[in-house]
Amino acid sequence: MDREAREHYTVLIQAKDMAGQVGGLSGSTTINVTLTDVNDNPPKFPQKNYQLYVPESAQVGKPVGKIKANDDDLGVNADIKYSIINSEGANMFSISTDRDTKEGIISLKKPLNYERKKTYTLHIEGMNTHVDPRFSYLGAFKDTATLKITVGDVDEAPVFSMDYYILDVYENSPSGTEVGCITARDPDSRSSPVR
């Protein structure tokens, strides 16, 4: 019997006396059978490859996307723990499980910089948290998917070459006297001129 195929059964039972011969009496009852769930289905991502766009201005610690594996089981048997299993992804992003929706919520661990790195590849694993050893012969109760994150460029303000400047000017200097040089650059990839 497979609960995922059919969960409820109704069985009619009849009992007859006198071995079912004519003149005998009979009684009947209905039994409703409900199958309880066991963890016999692993989580499965609907796709093997996903894409996500995240602007470089995304805030650290805030969710930037989500991913979901499906599990045909119910209750604790369908609980999934998500993890990022490659170092490139795990260094920049974290993933947690939303208890209500059972989705993997992807958050930013460090600031993104489009000018330094434009894409990240995350290998995400979804694994059942309560594995029933009776079904270990079915294989690992986990699945993996690849998430390619494209970092979006955001126009950034110019950056000065120093945090502060000290410039001295002699008293009574004529108008137009050069007193020093202050420089700034555009951190964006297109390096627009700064005025």
Side-chain angles (χ1 to χ4, degrees):
M1 299 178 114
D2 184 8
R3 187 210 55 83
E4 288 78 22
R6 184 170 175 189
E7 186 173 2
H8 301 285
Y9 293 86
T10 302
V11 180
L12 177 63
I13 298 178
Q14 185 178 43
K16 295 181 177 182
D17 64 1
M18 295 179 49
Q21 294 179 9
V22 177
L25 299 174
S26 68
S28 62
T29 188
T30 301
I31 298 175
N32 293 313
V33 178
T34 301
L35 299 180
T36 56
D37 188 52
V38 294
N39 191 3
D40 58 348
N41 293 288
K44 291 277 185 210
F45 287 101
Q47 303 167 209
K48 284 297 177 190
N49 296 296
Y50 295 85
Q51 292 186 354
L52 179 64
Y53 171 87
V54 180
E56 67 179 326
S57 59
Q59 293 182 357
V60 172
K62 299 288 184 184
V64 295
K66 52 190 170 183
I67 192 169
K68 185 170 195 241
N70 299 319
D71 191 319
D72 291 336
D73 294 314
L74 297 174
V76 296
N77 293 327
D79 285 349
I80 299 171
K81 180 185 185 321
Y82 296 94
S83 53
I84 300 170
I85 56 176
N86 65 320
S87 60
E88 175 192 4
N91 288 336
M92 287 298 291
F93 298 90
S94 64
I95 191 166
S96 60
T97 304
D98 182 306
R99 290 178 188 247
D100 297 327
T101 64
K102 301 200 186 300
E103 294 172 317
I105 308 299
I106 301 155
S107 300
L108 197 54
K109 286 169 74 173
K110 296 178 184 175
L112 295 172
N113 187 329
Y114 173 83
E115 289 72 32
R116 288 194 187 137
K117 190 163 173 66
K118 294 173 179 47
T119 61
Y120 290 88
T121 301
L122 281 63
H123 299 294
I124 298 175
E125 179 180 83
M127 174 187 276
N128 277 142
T129 57
H130 302 353
V131 178
D132 189 331
R134 294 177 297 171
F135 301 102
S136 61
Y137 68 92
L138 295 173
F141 276 70
K142 61 184 176 182
D143 195 21
T144 59
T146 300
L147 173 63
K148 182 179 179 184
I149 295 179
T150 301
V151 179
D153 191 17
V154 174
D155 191 22
E156 299 168 273
V159 177
F160 288 98
S161 58
M162 295 173 39
D163 290 335
Y164 63 93
Y165 295 83
I166 299 175
L167 303 173
D168 294 323
V169 177
Y170 291 111
E171 184 178 2
N172 296 325
S173 296
S175 179
T177 301
E178 188 175 305
V179 293
C181 182
I182 297 174
T183 60
R185 66 175 184 79
D186 184 356
D188 290 322
S189 62
R190 60 184 174 272
S191 294
S192 301
V194 176
R195 296 183 353 165

